[in-house]
Amino acid sequence: MELKKSPDGGWGWVIVFVSFFTQFLCYGSPLAVGVLYIEWLDAFGEGKGKTAWVGSLASGVGLLASPVCSLCVSSFGARPVTIFSGFMVAGGLMLSSFAPNIYFLFFSYGIVVGLGCGLLYTATVTITCQYFDDRRGLALGLISTGSSVGLFIYAALQRMLVEFYGLDGCLLIVGALALNILACGSLMRPLQSSDCPLPKKIAPEDLPDKYSIYNEKGKNLEENINILEKSYSSEEKCRTTLANGDWKQDSLLHKNPTVTHTKEPETYKKKVAEQTYFCKQLAKRKWQLYKNYCGETVALFKNKVFSALFIAILLFDIGGFPPSLLMEDVARSSNVKEEEFIMPLISIIGIMTAVGKLLLGILADFKWINTLYLYVATLIIMGLALCAIPFAKSYVTLALLSGILGFLTGNWSIFPYVTTKTVGIEKLAHAYGILMFFAGLGNSLGPPIVGWFYDWTQTYEIAFYFSGFCVLLGGFILLLAALPSWDTCNKQLPKPAPTTFLYKVASNV
């Protein structure tokens, strides 16, 4: 069926509303997992590095499986995927309440919940893009704040539920809340024409005239027909042999009169030959697409700015993601009393992330601001803030640093801008999928590495120095790659293709 024109309103605002609450319900607990992280440390008595794998998997698995998530949404649609993923997220949260050990949580909370969140994110973004064209940026900005608001509310909610009902009761209640995703998914009406007639089925003999892959049809058809005639002649010999056999075999041949035909009509053989040739050419076409995909991937990594960008996003997630998971335990390790907590530190990170997404996105729209330099600035400031965490020994300083880190984490809103200006709009989907894979890898590795540093040194000082160094290194690598000197070097080299993958730093974006 053909999709209708994007209405940029109407039922589209219902889609925005339910997509916002879908991200709120699915990402609330995984992003605020730092509250549960402390409880799991006390419940299972495992090391901080091993326990941190639970939260890191929940955030990283969805990004690592982003190609599979996109394939599922393209094949089945946003509504079925949302309803199915709602069961996954709710079931994974409820199943985690019965976890006998940390390894069970790796599967129930890390993989099941994480994969469900990845599917829901892809579904909400896809259906929102279908309903909006001119106002797509506004719509995507509104639904993306759902995860940040979820982090802000779920941090306080999960702490309150743990106090009243314990860890198991908290997970059961949060899982029950996630069942509301099913109601949100039921409202995701697909944008397609119900009265559009089904596409007319094309006859096999018409296919070669419509596709350019059948340029040598005549020659190959004759070869296929000759192969078929040889097979028919061999089949005729086989039947002759059977006819000279015993009477039982001969009677079986008489019972099946279709076997006695020695030669099929010429038109049937021609159609079979065309079908065979179609399958061969289709396989060749798929193989060619695969080769082109690999070639485009290699071409992307030949772009110095893109290569630096993938290193920067990997190091950013290794160093920048752990605070949202470990900040509560950092406060406890710094002997901050619970009476001093006006608001959970993770809640501060969540609300400031939403503010950062909106303000940095607005700044990126100004033509006199270079989005690449803006993104580099957020990385460098975040690296310095991470290095300052070991010096924070009170709730006020930790809350201030949490707000700064949360605001700078909002640079996710300008990351698509940077990617588009680096590789071009034509290569955005391909490049963004690669970058999200490495972002998921960084999310999965960051918290366990920081936890292992604590297990090794019994302090978070070296751990956050390491995190800050990673983010600073990624920022400086991206800055060096984006300097105008790179453009000067690239202009001295012959370029057979248009400069699609060059990032013009001197221009305003």
Side-chain angles (χ1 to χ4, degrees):
M1 295 184 180
E2 296 182 357
L3 294 178
K4 295 179 181 177
K5 188 176 182 252
S6 299
D8 281 301
W11 192 260
W13 295 117
V14 177
I15 298 297
V16 170
F17 179 78
V18 298
S19 297
F20 172 89
F21 274 99
T22 297
Q23 292 201 16
F24 171 85
L25 292 168
C26 74
Y27 278 106
S29 180
L31 290 180
V33 73
V35 176
L36 304 177
Y37 170 75
I38 298 176
E39 302 298 326
W40 286 330
L41 284 174
D42 298 335
F44 300 113
E46 300 285 353
K48 296 181 185 291
K50 185 183 291 187
T51 308
W53 270 108
V54 181
S56 63
L57 284 175
S59 299
V61 166
L63 293 174
L64 289 172
S66 56
V68 178
C69 298
S70 300
L71 179 62
C72 291
V73 175
S74 301
S75 302
F76 304 105
R79 177 190 280 174
V81 170
T82 301
I83 294 175
F84 175 77
S85 302
F87 280 112
M88 285 188 65
V89 174
L93 290 170
M94 293 180 181
L95 198 61
S96 299
S97 65
F98 303 100
N101 50 54
I102 198 70
Y103 302 101
F104 188 88
L105 286 174
F106 291 162
F107 170 76
S108 61
Y109 198 99
I111 296 178
V112 177
V113 175
L115 186 58
C117 290
L119 288 168
L120 288 170
Y121 176 81
T122 306
T124 53
V125 169
T126 300
I127 195 167
T128 303
C129 290
Q130 290 176 359
Y131 270 86
F132 287 89
D133 188 9
D134 296 335
R135 301 177 180 178
R136 183 175 296 170
L138 174 62
L140 291 176
L142 290 174
I143 69 170
S144 67
T145 57
S147 58
S148 301
V149 175
L151 170 58
F152 171 72
I153 294 179
Y154 269 75
L157 176 64
Q158 291 187 146
R159 171 175 289 182
M160 182 184 68
L161 291 176
V162 168
E163 292 178 358
F164 281 97
Y165 304 104
L167 178 61
D168 298 342
C170 172
L171 289 170
L172 284 174
I173 295 174
V174 171
L177 289 175
L179 289 173
N180 289 284
I181 297 174
L182 307 181
C184 295
S186 64
L187 296 175
M188 292 183 179
R189 186 172 62 197
L191 184 66
Q192 60 186 15
S193 179
S194 58
D195 54 352
C196 180
L198 292 175
K200 183 180 179 181
K201 189 174 181 180
I202 302 174
E205 56 269 16
D206 296 334
L207 285 173
D209 299 332
K210 293 182 177 290
Y211 299 99
S212 60
I213 58 175
Y214 302 99
N215 293 331
E216 300 180 358
K217 181 193 74 168
K219 179 180 177 181
N220 289 287
L221 285 179
E222 292 177 359
E223 293 177 356
N224 290 332
I225 290 173
N226 293 333
I227 294 173
L228 286 174
E229 288 179 349
K230 290 181 181 180
S231 64
Y232 283 126
S233 62
S234 62
E235 185 179 352
E236 185 177 358
K237 292 179 181 179
C238 181
R239 291 196 186 98
T240 304
T241 305
L242 289 173
N244 295 329
D246 57 0
W247 62 273
K248 292 183 180 180
Q249 294 176 344
D250 185 65
S251 62
L252 289 174
L253 287 173
H254 285 291
K255 288 181 180 179
N256 191 0
T258 57
V259 182
T260 60
H261 293 299
T262 58
K263 189 175 182 180
E264 296 290 337
E266 191 71 21
T267 56
Y268 176 76
K269 290 192 298 180
K270 185 177 180 180
K271 288 183 178 181
V272 173
E274 288 181 351
Q275 298 267 357
T276 305
Y277 182 70
F278 173 78
C279 294
K280 290 181 179 179
Q281 291 300 315
L282 185 61
K284 290 181 181 178
R285 185 69 176 270
K286 293 293 184 181
W287 174 250
Q288 187 63 36
L289 290 174
Y290 175 76
K291 289 175 63 177
N292 292 342
Y293 180 86
C294 295
E296 291 175 0
T297 303
V298 173
L300 285 175
F301 281 99
K302 288 181 180 179
N303 179 7
K304 295 181 177 62
V305 178
F306 178 81
S307 298
L309 194 61
F310 110 82
I311 295 174
I313 192 66
L314 176 64
L315 294 176
F316 167 74
D317 280 280
I318 289 178
F321 178 66
S324 63
L325 176 62
L326 304 174
M327 192 59 77
E328 295 292 326
D329 191 54
V330 171
R332 188 170 71 168
S333 300
S334 301
N335 296 321
V336 177
K337 299 179 181 180
E338 294 186 2
E339 300 82 49
E340 300 178 15
F341 276 75
I342 303 174
M343 181 185 297
L345 297 176
I346 298 179
S347 296
I348 297 175
I349 293 176
I351 195 64
M352 291 304 297
T353 300
V355 174
K357 286 179 180 179
L358 293 176
L359 291 184
L360 291 175
I362 293 173
L363 289 176
D365 286 334
F366 289 106
K367 296 186 179 299
W368 51 272
I369 292 182
N370 190 296
T371 51
L372 181 59
Y373 288 149
L374 179 62
Y375 185 76
V376 169
T378 60
L379 296 182
I380 294 176
I381 298 174
M382 174 173 274
L384 296 175
L386 287 169
C387 292
I389 289 179
F391 299 98
K393 301 298 181 182
S394 65
Y395 173 79
V396 176
T397 54
L398 286 173
L400 180 62
L401 289 174
S402 298
I404 295 173
L405 292 173
F407 180 84
L408 297 173
T409 305
N411 63 5
W412 277 99
S413 63
I414 64 175
F415 189 72
Y417 284 81
V418 177
T419 308
T420 303
K421 294 297 181 181
T422 303
V423 302
I425 190 65
E426 299 83 5
K427 304 293 183 183
L428 176 60
H430 186 187
Y432 202 71
I434 295 174
L435 294 174
M436 288 302 99
F437 175 84
F438 286 104
L441 186 62
N443 275 351
S444 301
L445 295 178
I449 291 176
V450 172
W452 287 330
F453 270 111
Y454 183 91
D455 294 336
W456 176 41
T457 62
Q458 295 302 310
T459 179
Y460 275 116
E461 293 184 1
I462 298 179
F464 280 101
Y465 289 150
F466 169 79
S467 296
F469 172 77
C470 287
V471 178
L472 283 172
L473 179 62
F476 282 118
I477 290 176
L478 184 57
L479 178 62
L480 291 175
L483 288 176
S485 58
W486 281 119
D487 291 339
T488 305
C489 296
N490 288 332
K491 289 177 182 177
Q492 297 175 357
L493 299 175
K495 290 281 184 179
T499 57
T500 305
F501 299 101
L502 284 178
Y503 190 99
K504 299 295 184 181
V505 178
S507 62
N508 292 328
V509 295

